Amino acid sequence: MQKLRRRRCKICREWFHPKYSNIWWCCPEHGAELAIRRTNKEKEKVLAKRKKEQREKEIKAKDKLKVRKLAVKPLSYFTKQAQTAFNAFIRERDKDEPCISCGRFHEGQYHAGHYRTTGANPELRFDEDNVHKQCAPCNNHLSGNIENYTPRLIEKIGHERFDRLMGSHELPKWKREDYERIRDHYRKKLKELKDVH
Ligand SMILES: [Zn+2]
Ligand SMILES: [Zn+2]
């Protein structure tokens, strides 16, 4: 048998000549100590692994809860999200324009006013030609001030687009995913507008 090369004890760092290749300790005491150390290391590893698994489990449970919470939200929740994003885009698009109905610039609040209402024409809810910046009084108290809205709208978008708007439109069967898509689309468009300005 070939004599093994000397090596350092893993515990005391002293040189020694091992009898077998798997001996890493100079004396039985250090052999025992090394065994304990190795066991402890193993235990720590197992503990760390368990901790990590627990953390991952918690994250997964949280995600699941989030998904479940969204799943029980009514469709109107997503409609509203999409409408909010769309309206914010309209207000930014028309930022430098006066109220579409009364032509005033004022300090008060502005809304995104639907020309054809979402009640009567829900299919035009997200039609960019159908919605324009409007002052709060016109939007809230004058039912959109429609008689003044009409001529200004034609002036703004032209007869052709106005005729298309007034034509008949199919009512899309928007699902949650559609509303989420519309919401994300207009959030992105709003951001792009703001980045340009
Ligand atoms: Zn030793
Ligand atoms: Zn107005």
Side-chain angles (χ1 to χ4, degrees):
M1 203 175 83
Q2 200 192 343
K3 205 183 169 215
L4 289 160
R5 286 183 57 179
R6 65 174 197 158
R7 53 175 66 152
R8 282 185 188 274
C9 169
K10 290 270 188 197
I11 298 297
C12 67
R13 309 297 302 151
E14 287 298 326
W15 288 106
F16 71 101
H17 287 278
K19 267 193 186 150
Y20 307 101
S21 62
N22 63 343
I23 303 298
W24 290 94
W25 49 91
C26 66
C27 59
E29 288 77 23
H30 288 174
E33 202 174 324
L34 190 60
I36 289 168
R37 271 194 203 179
R38 280 181 175 162
T39 313
N40 284 345
K41 237 186 209 161
E42 223 24 66
K43 271 188 196 156
E44 270 168 32
K45 251 194 209 161
V46 169
L47 222 73
K49 195 172 164 232
R50 236 184 254 155
K51 249 190 189 162
K52 196 176 160 225
E53 282 169 356
Q54 185 61 30
R55 251 203 321 274
E56 281 168 359
K57 242 189 186 165
E58 278 166 16
I59 290 170
K60 255 190 198 156
K62 236 187 203 167
D63 287 351
K64 251 190 180 163
L65 186 68
K66 217 168 151 190
V67 169
R68 262 217 311 277
K69 271 186 175 164
L70 280 178
V72 299
K73 293 254 191 250
L75 195 60
S76 60
Y77 172 84
F78 299 97
T79 315
K80 204 175 155 217
Q81 274 199 334
Q83 192 71 70
T84 301
F86 176 83
N87 289 359
F89 162 76
I90 293 294
R91 283 196 307 272
E92 180 69 21
R93 182 198 66 186
D94 295 352
K95 162 164 93 105
D96 299 325
E97 294 173 25
C99 167
I100 186 85
S101 298
C102 65
R104 286 188 314 143
F105 282 104
H106 69 122
E107 291 299 311
Q109 227 195 343
Y110 280 102
H111 295 193
H114 284 73
Y115 180 68
R116 303 188 76 184
T117 64
T118 52
N121 297 89
E123 69 276 15
L124 297 173
R125 189 184 267 289
F126 307 113
D127 190 305
E128 289 181 25
D129 276 346
N130 189 42
V131 190
H132 302 266
K133 179 178 152 189
Q134 194 173 49
C135 73
C138 281
N139 189 251
N140 291 337
H141 310 301
L142 300 168
S143 302
N145 194 354
I146 215 77
E147 60 282 5
N148 290 316
Y149 199 149
T150 306
R152 289 211 165 84
L153 179 59
I154 295 171
E155 201 180 300
K156 183 173 173 181
I157 67 175
H159 274 283
E160 214 171 295
R161 276 159 67 185
F162 182 75
D163 288 345
R164 182 204 63 86
L165 185 62
M166 295 312 287
S168 67
H169 305 266
E170 227 172 281
L171 179 59
K173 293 230 183 325
W174 284 312
K175 292 191 176 76
R176 176 186 152 173
E177 293 72 31
D178 299 308
Y179 288 125
E180 285 175 327
R181 181 176 42 76
I182 292 165
R183 174 199 67 197
D184 295 344
H185 175 70
Y186 279 103
R187 278 182 185 169
K188 195 170 154 237
K189 277 186 91 164
L190 173 64
K191 199 178 167 290
E192 282 166 2
L193 264 190
K194 280 187 169 167
D195 285 347
V196 172
H197 287 165

